[in-house]
Amino acid sequence: MTSTDIHLLLTALASVLLLVALIVSRVRMHPLVALLVVCVGVGLATGMELGEIARNITNGAGKTLGAVGVVIALGAMLGKILADAGITEQIANALLRHASDRLIPWAMTLVAFIVGIPMFFEVGLVVMLPLVFSVARKLEGRERFKGSAYVYVGVPVIAALAAMHGMVPPHPGPLTAIAALKTSVGPTMLYGFVAALPAMVLAGPLYGAFIAPRMTTRPDQALLDQFTLTQKHAASAANPPGVALGAFAALLPALLMLVHALSETFLAKSSAMAGAAAFIGNPIIAMLLGVLFAAVALVYARGGDAEDLRDAMGASLKPIAGIMLIIAGGGAFQQILTSAKVGDAIVHLTQQFAFPPLVLGWLIAMLLSVSTGSATVGIVGAAGLLAPLAGADPTLNLPLLALSIGSGSLFFNYANHAGFWLVKESFSMSMGEATRTITVVQSIVALVGLGMVLLMNVAMPVK
């Protein structure tokens, strides 16, 4: 390691500490402003030109808004339509009717597991929020319930979505590792499911049951009113659509993304069907089609007022506008750290130590993800570094190496990750509360993933 590497690592660490201080200290700076201030500070500290600093902030924020912001906006519209039509209320009532309070987190884990098979973490969370808030709001009203119902119901969803996102193809992270290591999708997917199940259980229902009584987290009332059935719309939802139609409308984006996932596995990339599947399975297109279907099937076809629908969709954007901008700030922070070459310094650091390949892949992906705020950077960097070793060692289980890298990229999701801010702002958490939820949850998933990789490597060695 060089003095430049040490300077970059210290700058990255100091930037995160400064960000937290600006938000939680007496300064009480708004997260978006704090993120932008820290971005400028990192740029100056690492010797970037002023124009380059501005470009990185603009590109990082714009890229994140393009990839995540539009999906969140469409998800808010879909959630509002489902809530006003009484769909989420129906599903919540069905869950609470057929499952005891203790079984609710397990039921939510199962739903998130299914939704998470084709969906990115952020997209899946946006789709699940209406159901999370509806179920939690009903639990909250029960006198015997202690602590935060929103954490109790939300943590299992976060755990399941995170495990699927980092461990199981066809999510982009595992697919990237598979391509770089020149291994197969099938075995990696099988290993991923095996590793994801205990990770979801430990980080989801079990950890959620432990932490929820110790927290008082409650989302802003505006978000609750948006994603749950309010008194204003109770009359119009007195005769809601059938549960099957409502569930189909809620899951349509996930189904479209699943079609894309299956096409990537079973169809040639050059085929017309694969191209069509890729189009409808794009997160933005899938969410758009979901919104259009819900509007037609749940409002227009039932004689709903078009003017009321437009007003409701417009109003749905107001509570999440701040969330989208803060996520954009997180994208800018991620971009500035990546452009400063913090990832290169991490690579040089890992080269100083000798670890078994499966542990080394997890460690490199973890350090790159933590330092740059990008799980993709962690996976690409780790897979690229270990690709030569993968080709030279016939005893190395490549699907398990891909899984190890994907698991490592999940560890310690914090202030330079867009997902951290999505969870924090959606549930109106403090920095400490967000750390005890998404950061700890994803760290548990990552560690269990590594443990399962090592266990399966012993149980099923390559011969």
Side-chain angles (χ1 to χ4, degrees), residues 4-370:
T4 301
D5 293 331
I6 295 173
H7 173 69
L8 287 173
L9 293 174
L10 291 176
T11 299
L13 176 61
S15 68
V16 174
L17 296 176
L18 175 60
L19 176 62
V20 174
L22 289 175
I23 295 172
V24 305
S25 68
R26 291 185 180 181
V27 177
R28 295 293 178 186
M29 191 174 286
H30 189 276
L32 174 61
V33 178
L35 283 162
L36 296 179
V37 167
V38 171
C39 286
V40 174
V42 170
L44 294 174
T46 55
M48 288 185 189
E49 296 181 0
L50 297 180
E52 187 181 0
I53 295 174
R55 280 194 301 275
N56 280 315
I57 292 174
T58 302
N59 292 340
K63 183 169 61 177
T64 303
L65 271 182
V68 178
V70 178
V71 171
I72 292 174
L74 291 170
M77 292 180 180
L78 178 58
K80 183 63 172 171
I81 295 172
L82 295 172
D84 288 353
I87 299 301
T88 49
E89 187 83 358
Q90 276 188 301
I91 298 175
N93 286 334
L95 279 175
L96 292 168
R97 206 166 39 242
H98 294 95
S100 65
D101 290 2
R102 289 187 177 182
L103 290 179
I104 286 296
W106 298 89
M108 295 300 293
T109 301
L110 177 60
V111 175
F113 169 79
I114 296 170
V115 169
I117 291 175
M119 283 193 166
F120 298 174
F121 174 82
E122 291 85 356
V123 182
L125 183 60
V126 170
V127 169
M128 289 293 297
L129 278 180
L131 184 58
V132 170
F133 286 177
S134 294
V135 173
R137 198 171 195 174
K138 290 180 176 296
L139 280 178
E140 185 182 37
R142 297 181 177 179
E143 290 184 6
R144 65 179 181 272
F145 191 86
K146 305 298 181 184
S148 172
Y150 300 91
V151 172
Y152 186 68
V153 177
V155 161
V157 170
I158 294 170
L161 293 175
M164 299 303 291
H165 183 82
M167 296 183 183
V168 181
H171 287 279
L175 284 179
T176 300
I178 288 168
L181 299 174
K182 295 182 173 58
T183 186
S184 303
V185 172
T188 307
M189 182 178 287
L190 179 61
Y191 287 143
F193 278 123
V194 172
L197 291 175
M200 287 188 293
V201 169
L202 288 172
L206 297 184
Y207 179 69
F210 169 77
I211 195 67
R214 296 162 174 79
M215 297 182 69
T216 58
T217 297
R218 192 175 196 274
D220 285 340
Q221 192 61 43
L223 273 176
L224 286 178
D225 290 343
Q226 172 167 314
F227 287 134
T228 58
L229 186 63
T230 61
Q231 195 67 33
K232 177 182 176 181
H233 295 94
S236 62
N239 182 29
V243 175
L245 177 62
F248 180 77
L251 293 176
L252 180 58
L255 295 174
L256 294 175
M257 292 184 200
L258 181 60
V259 169
H260 177 207
L262 293 174
S263 73
E264 285 189 317
T265 305
F266 298 109
L267 297 178
K269 290 184 178 181
S270 58
S271 70
M273 289 184 64
F279 175 73
I280 64 172
N282 178 280
I284 292 178
I285 301 300
M287 291 301 296
L288 174 61
L289 292 174
V291 169
L292 293 175
F293 178 83
V296 172
L298 306 180
V299 181
Y300 295 134
R302 296 173 57 82
D305 188 278
E307 190 74 23
D308 287 347
L309 174 62
R310 187 178 69 176
D311 291 345
M313 292 172 72
S316 71
L317 300 178
K318 295 176 183 177
I320 54 97
I323 297 175
M324 290 193 295
L325 290 175
I326 291 171
I327 290 172
F333 189 26
Q334 176 192 117
Q335 182 64 50
I336 208 87
L337 289 171
T338 302
S339 298
K341 305 296 184 185
V342 172
D344 292 348
I346 291 292
V347 170
H348 297 158
L349 173 65
T350 58
Q351 290 173 343
Q352 309 299 310
F353 305 97
F355 292 101
L358 295 178
V359 177
L360 184 61
W362 187 93
L363 186 62
I364 294 174
M366 180 271 288
L367 291 172
L368 287 172
S369 177
V370 170

Side-chain angles (χ1 to χ4, degrees), residues 399-446:
L400 284 181
L401 180 58
L403 175 58
S404 176
I405 291 170
S407 299
S409 71
L410 297 172
F411 189 83
F412 204 74
N413 184 308
Y414 199 53
N416 53 350
H417 287 73
F420 175 89
W421 294 104
L422 177 59
V423 171
K424 178 186 179 300
E425 297 302 317
S426 296
F427 288 85
S428 301
M429 293 177 173
S430 66
M431 292 293 288
E433 289 172 331
T435 302
R436 281 185 284 167
T437 50
I438 182 171
T439 304
V440 173
V441 165
Q442 293 209 186
S443 296
I444 293 173
V445 170

